[in-house]
Amino acid sequence: MDQEQADRFPASALAARDAARDERRERGEQLRKTVTRSSHGAWSEPEDRQSPVAILEAQNRSRLQELVPIRFGRMLASPFAFYRGAAAVMAADLAGTPTTAVEVQACGDAHLANFGLFASPERHLVFDLNDFDETVPGPWEWDVKRLAASAVLAARHRGLSDNTAHDAAVAVGAAYRDAMSLFASMNTLDVWYFHVDVDALMTEGAIDPITNQPRTPSRAAQRAARRAHEHDTLQAISKLTEVRDGRRRIRSDPPLLVPTPWGPELEPDRVFVNYRKSLPPDRRVLLDRFHFAEGARKVVGVGSVGARCWILLFDGGGADDPLLLQVKEANTSVLEPYWRPSGCSNHAERVVLGQRLMQAQSDIFLGWTRQEATRIDYYVRQLRDMKGGIDLDTIAAKELLAYANACGAVLARAHARAGDASLISGYLGASDRFDNALAAFSVAYADQTERDHARLERAAKKGRIPAERGV
């Protein structure tokens, strides 16, 4: 115990806390007897495995059918693009893999492209998870495996060596393990407040908050930070809107951007009233300073294509005083059929609560609502508030390893906020046994994804699925 802790806490309280953590850490170690760390390396395609194409087709039944060809077209671009849209496929596969059954608030879709940069309420640039459509309580291993396999696929997508792909998966596991050990030793509130301040890390020789070592920002990180600062609300306004007849209006770019008062499946008054109720009182005061101008349906992402999504333009009363909100449909998490229901009566509330649990600093306009007539749930957030990310299409080998490391550490922090860091850390231990098993699984599952991508290609060629490429 250091002097600072001694000054802040009675010795008896610290002893009780440490004893409880030691006990949980020992329980984690005991879990290795029933689920060995090396068992996480196993993956082979089961004979009775569900057809990945059938899983995707089932997902599409509730989506806007005119947009389904775009979803398939985007997934056909590469195995990595397929992986990004196939969270439901991997969830079904993960359900058959070994698990300690230690539950965290899981992301459900923790691949490399779902981490990024965005502005904190204090206007600092932070690095964190940024997609929570599938978040739900679930096993910590499922998120780690999805992240590590995405690192292998990202390396292959870039044409990097097999060794680099393998090492990127190891980096995810090692960073997750080391960071979880750190968070297991920290005070509970310190874990909750912990975040990665990107602006601070951009300084040469800045201290990495995870490793406590000086680090040199990579060119990729510097480019991402620069883009994030440029991609603010005003930049989005200039790209997505134009002035017509003296009024700012949303551009028309069908089928990707289709202006409409609110959208054919949204009831303006009821939806907005319910959303407003989901905000804290102080945020309602802020929201009320803006007046609705126009809305548009927008196609976003890869796996999300076909889900109902709108952008809403608001006017704060000044020439350059806009607010852009995104209203996005929320459905059952892909993990829920294989683990347990979220416990939320509203799927959008599930997304919002999960984001607040996992993300160090969340959007001040984050809330949820429901379209009563159709029973469709929507969550609401700001659009492009200093958002950016690493360009995985151009990333170099050394940068990929550093990025995989950063994502693994941030995922550990997200899990530690609502999960038991001591228990997980006790299970993982100090050796690289889990890291190596994770890499073996990730390479095997990347092979699986390439086979699944080929199956989708064959389905498109045979006309079983509609696919519109390049949109």
Side-chain angles (χ1 to χ4, degrees):
M1 179 175 64
D2 60 29
Q3 187 59 47
E4 182 180 358
Q5 286 181 318
D7 292 341
R8 291 169 60 194
F9 299 99
S12 58
L14 283 170
R17 182 204 69 180
D18 292 340
R21 290 184 177 185
D22 287 344
E23 180 182 347
R24 298 200 303 275
R25 190 175 291 108
E26 289 175 5
R27 282 167 43 204
E29 292 175 3
Q30 291 299 313
L31 280 173
R32 301 176 197 167
K33 297 178 179 179
T34 53
V35 183
T36 65
R37 289 168 292 178
S38 59
S39 69
H40 293 288
W43 172 259
S44 59
E45 185 172 356
E47 291 185 4
D48 61 348
R49 182 175 183 250
Q50 293 176 261
S51 161
V53 178
I55 291 174
L56 296 172
E57 287 178 317
Q59 264 196 315
N60 287 335
R61 291 185 190 124
S62 64
R63 302 196 176 202
L64 298 172
Q65 294 305 298
E66 65 269 28
L67 300 181
V68 167
I70 298 176
R71 183 192 188 201
F72 279 135
R74 291 185 176 184
M75 291 181 69
L76 285 169
S78 69
F80 185 54
F82 174 91
Y83 187 81
R84 290 181 59 185
V89 175
M90 191 171 191
D93 290 332
L94 288 170
T97 60
T99 175
T100 60
V102 176
E103 193 175 271
V104 296
Q105 183 68 34
C107 170
D109 194 15
H111 59 73
L112 287 182
N114 275 346
F115 290 73
L117 312 175
F118 55 89
S120 72
E122 294 79 21
R123 317 314 298 153
H124 295 158
L125 199 60
V126 297
F127 177 69
D128 212 330
L129 278 158
N130 62 11
D131 190 299
F132 299 90
D133 286 5
E134 311 299 343
T135 185
V136 73
W140 61 272
E141 300 99 324
W142 291 3
D143 272 355
V144 180
K145 288 180 176 179
R146 182 149 176 81
L147 177 57
S150 77
V152 174
L153 285 162
R156 293 181 180 180
H157 180 70
R158 277 286 292 123
L160 303 176
S161 70
D162 290 344
N163 286 340
T164 297
H166 175 274
D167 291 348
V170 169
V172 168
Y176 183 89
R177 176 173 50 80
D178 289 344
M180 193 61 75
S181 177
L182 170 66
F183 296 129
S185 69
M186 289 171 61
N187 294 320
T188 302
L189 284 177
D190 290 339
V191 174
W192 193 263
Y193 293 139
F194 187 95
H195 66 276
V196 178
D197 189 321
V198 176
D199 288 329
L201 284 179
M202 285 301 103
T203 303
E204 188 75 21
I207 301 300
D208 187 299
I210 299 291
T211 65
N212 204 33
Q213 298 294 319
R215 64 178 298 172
T216 300
S218 70
R219 288 192 297 273
Q222 291 172 329
R223 287 194 300 269
R226 187 165 55 250
R227 285 195 301 268
H229 278 293
E230 295 169 351
H231 289 182
D232 59 6
T233 297
L234 290 178
Q235 188 272 345
I237 287 288
S238 65
K239 180 178 180 180
L240 299 174
T241 71
E242 60 187 1
V243 176
R244 299 197 305 270
D245 300 326
R247 293 181 55 198
R248 185 162 294 280
R249 309 293 294 272
I250 297 176
R251 298 178 188 273
S252 179
D253 182 22
L256 303 183
L257 188 63
V258 182
T260 176
W262 278 80
E265 298 187 44
L266 284 178
E267 296 175 339
D269 296 334
R270 180 67 59 83
V271 166
F272 193 77
V273 166
N274 289 343
Y275 159 63
R276 187 179 179 278
K277 288 180 180 177
S278 75
L279 296 175
D282 60 318
R283 309 296 165 80
R284 298 176 198 168
V285 172
L286 175 60
L287 183 66
D288 290 346
R289 303 292 296 271
F290 293 90
H291 303 282
F292 175 71
E294 189 177 31
R297 191 186 74 187
K298 191 175 189 301
V299 175
V300 295
V302 179
S304 295
V305 177
R308 294 155 182 83
C309 181
W310 283 266
I311 58 171
L312 306 180
L313 174 63
F314 291 81
D315 180 9
D320 292 311
D321 194 13
L323 172 67
L324 269 178
L325 296 181
Q326 181 187 65
V327 180
K328 190 175 180 185
E329 180 181 4
N331 293 300
T332 303
S333 165
V334 296
L335 300 188
E336 288 185 83
Y338 309 105
W339 192 247
R340 69 175 179 85
S342 68
C344 296
S345 60
N346 182 309
H347 289 300
E349 181 184 16
R350 168 187 61 76
V351 173
V352 170
L353 295 183
Q355 179 167 345
R356 289 175 178 168
L357 281 171
M358 298 191 75
Q359 203 173 53
Q361 302 188 52
S362 295
D363 177 10
I364 62 173
F365 287 104
L366 185 64
W368 68 88
T369 187
R370 168 170 285 176
Q371 166 71 9
E372 296 294 345
T374 58
R375 307 297 290 176
I376 295 176
D377 299 330
Y378 297 95
Y379 66 89
V380 184
R381 63 184 178 184
Q382 282 191 84
L383 185 71
R384 283 197 201 169
D385 187 20
M386 286 171 61
K387 290 184 173 67
I390 297 291
D391 186 352
L392 295 173
D393 290 330
T394 61
I395 195 167
K398 185 177 179 180
E399 293 171 334
L400 176 61
L401 295 179
Y403 185 60
N405 184 287
C407 291
V410 165
L411 181 62
R413 195 269 307 143
H415 285 175
R417 281 169 65 93
D420 192 329
S422 296
L423 187 61
I424 297 172
S425 180
Y427 176 79
L428 291 172
S431 76
D432 60 2
R433 188 165 299 177
F434 174 78
D435 315 345
N436 292 327
L438 180 66
F441 169 86
S442 300
V443 170
Y445 200 80
D447 293 342
Q448 180 69 67
T449 299
E450 290 175 349
R451 293 193 296 269
D452 291 345
H453 175 258
R455 286 167 176 153
L456 193 69
E457 284 275 15
R458 290 194 294 271
K461 289 178 180 178
K462 292 178 179 179
R464 172 179 170 180
I465 61 166
E468 187 173 350
R469 302 175 192 248
V471 179

